[in-house]
Amino acid sequence: MALTATESATSTANSFGPAVALSCRECGARYDLGPVFACVECFGPLEVAYDFGTVTRESVERGPKNIWRYKALLPVPADVENLPTMNPGLTPLVRADRLAAELGLRSLYVKDDSGNPTHSFKDRVVAMAVEAARAFGFTTLSCSSTGNLAGAVGAAAARAGFRSCVFIPAGLEEAKVVMAAVYGGQLVAIDGTYDDVNRFCSELIGDPAGEDWGFVNVNLRPYYAEGSKTLAYEIAEQLGWRLPDQIVIPIASGSQLTKIDKGFQELIGLGLVEDKPYRVFGAQATGCSPVARAWENGHDVIQPVKPDTIAKSLAIGNPADGPYVLDVCRRTGGAVEHVSDPEIVDSIRLLARTEGIFAETAGGVTTGVLRKLLAAGTLDPEAETVVLNTGDGLKTLNAVSGTGVTATIKPSLRAFKDAGLL
């Protein structure tokens, strides 16, 4: 059973580190830490508010080689590194000189999050949700997912000893389905889009059948979303404790982009990095580009769409954080752009050919948008730039299914020469 109110209050005092409250992003109303995600005053989304202690570069660098080196900035217990988790993070920031030369950039880095335990950035956010689920006494971990999150929840639940039951739209890539199912939890496909799945999960939360369930991206969403801040922390640390001049980030719900910006702002506020301008750029697939369309039209409201793209991990037609993405990109002097499916495939191959990084379709989106923004003169080719790859290309093999052997020959040197392969 979930904790009583008194037990929960005692638990939260010890389980959320520097986190002190939940705060509404619209009206500023504050709430006690708990498994809630919407403001009762205005229905705005809630996020974690903190009272940070002293955090130094040296204290971070002495920490473990994963996201828990930043525990003093996250809603997690002080001993989190000793608990059974997937220990994600500290993935490579790859200096991409060959890709930069091809695109005409002076300085380019790829933050390659395919090296996480389940090969996507979702391990970061799920790690936060697991700690919240422990604190609130939940017994089952669940989520609505476009694929990567399902696998991350299944793996984290298995490691931490939770039951898992996750929900996906029917028709996802086979590799993502297998990876989500192999951990032994329940995997349920729903006939509909991701937005249909998400609505179903919201309904389940309000039913007795969902009692004791922690939905990582619904009733645990304020904690879950904080995991994306660790991308900002790592990028800054890996650059030698400085912020990049510009960064290109994929947009699904939009939460990742807004939390990276939040992470940068926290580092500035704590004096861990120099306060300097940086520009944030959002990237979507044309077949699911409600935020990019709003940007193009100068709108503040996101018009939902029905996704139709190979970039299924970004196929959220009604992105919850879309308006906040627009705010961040406008405030920082960035932009939101989209690329077509053929451009995504071409960009996956470009990144693989130049840097040896095999990205899933979301990485093709960010690389494609990087290229498109440079061609349009929107990105500064002289500025230090970071582009995100958030998942492994082995999960989306169908996107590059035309790739294969160069030639089939007899096992002889003459056959090799005759094939013109020298």
Side-chain angles (χ1 to χ4, degrees):
M1 293 292 293
L3 299 179
T4 66
T6 301
E7 290 171 332
S8 180
T10 301
S11 175
T12 56
N14 302 312
S15 300
F16 291 96
V20 295
L22 297 178
S23 176
C24 178
R25 294 166 75 176
E26 289 295 321
C27 72
R30 286 168 76 93
Y31 300 85
D32 290 339
L33 296 168
V36 292
F37 60 97
C39 175
V40 299
E41 301 292 333
C42 71
F43 304 106
L46 302 180
E47 69 174 353
V48 179
Y50 298 92
D51 182 8
F52 294 127
T54 300
V55 182
T56 66
R57 295 177 180 180
E58 292 74 21
S59 66
V60 169
E61 291 165 354
R62 286 195 299 269
K65 295 188 181 301
N66 53 54
I67 60 172
W68 305 134
R69 68 201 283 116
Y70 309 109
K71 65 184 179 181
L73 304 173
L74 298 169
V76 296
D79 63 345
V80 64
E81 67 267 36
N82 299 320
L83 299 174
T85 76
M86 299 299 289
N87 296 321
L90 219 60
T91 54
L93 183 69
V94 179
R95 186 174 177 89
D97 290 339
R98 295 190 69 237
L99 178 58
E102 183 141 339
L103 297 180
L105 272 166
R106 180 184 63 82
S107 178
L108 175 64
Y109 294 86
V110 177
K111 180 58 173 171
D112 185 12
D113 239 25
S114 65
N116 276 311
T118 68
H119 308 287
S120 89
F121 92 95
K122 291 296 188 180
D123 290 316
R124 298 174 181 272
V125 289
V126 170
M128 301 298 120
V130 166
E131 298 315 309
R134 285 193 228 267
F136 298 134
F138 290 131
T139 58
T140 299
L141 282 183
S142 186
C143 69
S144 51
S145 173
T146 56
N148 283 324
L149 180 58
V153 168
R159 176 72 62 85
F162 288 89
R163 172 179 176 262
S164 68
C165 181
V166 300
F167 301 92
I168 59 174
L172 286 185
E173 301 95 335
E174 182 181 4
K176 290 180 181 176
V177 172
V178 171
M179 189 166 189
V182 73
Y183 301 107
Q186 293 177 312
L187 179 67
V188 180
I190 290 179
D191 186 13
T193 67
Y194 169 82
D195 299 289
D196 295 322
V197 178
N198 205 34
R199 281 191 291 272
F200 165 78
C201 289
S202 296
E203 183 179 352
L204 182 55
I205 287 173
D207 189 272
E211 186 179 358
D212 299 339
W213 285 39
F215 288 82
V216 303
N217 53 348
V218 187
N219 61 348
L220 297 177
R221 186 176 183 84
Y223 312 94
Y224 159 93
E226 295 293 288
S228 288
K229 296 192 308 181
T230 61
L231 281 160
Y233 303 153
E234 288 179 21
I235 289 167
E237 183 183 357
Q238 290 169 323
L239 285 174
W241 292 104
R242 69 174 188 272
L243 302 183
D245 297 321
Q246 48 197 17
I247 184 168
V248 182
I249 304 169
I251 298 170
S253 72
S255 175
Q256 182 185 73
L257 185 148
T258 64
K259 294 304 181 184
I260 288 175
D261 175 64
K262 183 181 180 182
F264 284 162
Q265 290 297 310
E266 288 174 346
L267 293 177
I268 291 170
L270 289 163
L272 294 173
V273 299
E274 176 189 355
D275 186 356
K276 54 160 276 188
Y278 60 88
R279 302 170 73 202
V280 177
F281 296 86
Q284 292 198 291
T286 300
C288 186
S289 53
V291 185
R293 299 300 185 187
W295 177 272
E296 289 175 355
N297 295 320
H299 294 165
D300 296 324
V301 177
I302 308 299
Q303 182 67 40
V305 301
K306 184 173 182 179
D308 182 17
T309 174
I310 61 171
K312 295 184 185 296
S313 62
L314 303 183
I316 297 180
N318 189 16
D321 282 66
Y324 302 109
V325 168
L326 296 174
D327 291 344
V328 169
C329 293
R330 287 169 179 157
R331 191 194 80 238
T332 64
V336 185
E337 188 54 271
H338 59 91
V339 285
S340 67
D341 284 0
E343 289 174 300
I344 294 169
V345 173
D346 188 56
S347 297
I348 291 171
R349 293 192 169 115
L350 172 65
L351 182 57
R353 174 172 57 80
T354 56
E355 298 299 338
I357 296 172
F358 183 19
E360 71 153 46
T361 47
V365 169
T366 51
T367 304
V369 164
L370 171 70
R371 182 160 54 172
K372 189 171 181 178
L373 290 171
L374 278 167
T378 307
L379 271 171
D380 181 358
E382 295 300 313
E384 185 172 66
T385 305
V386 173
V387 62
L388 266 61
N389 172 45
T390 53
D392 195 317
L394 291 174
K395 294 186 177 188
T396 56
L397 288 173
N398 286 348
V400 290
S401 59
T403 306
V405 298
T406 303
T408 301
I409 64 171
K410 299 292 184 181
S412 71
L413 182 58
R414 177 166 183 168
F416 177 66
K417 293 178 178 179
D418 288 348
L421 298 172
L422 290 177

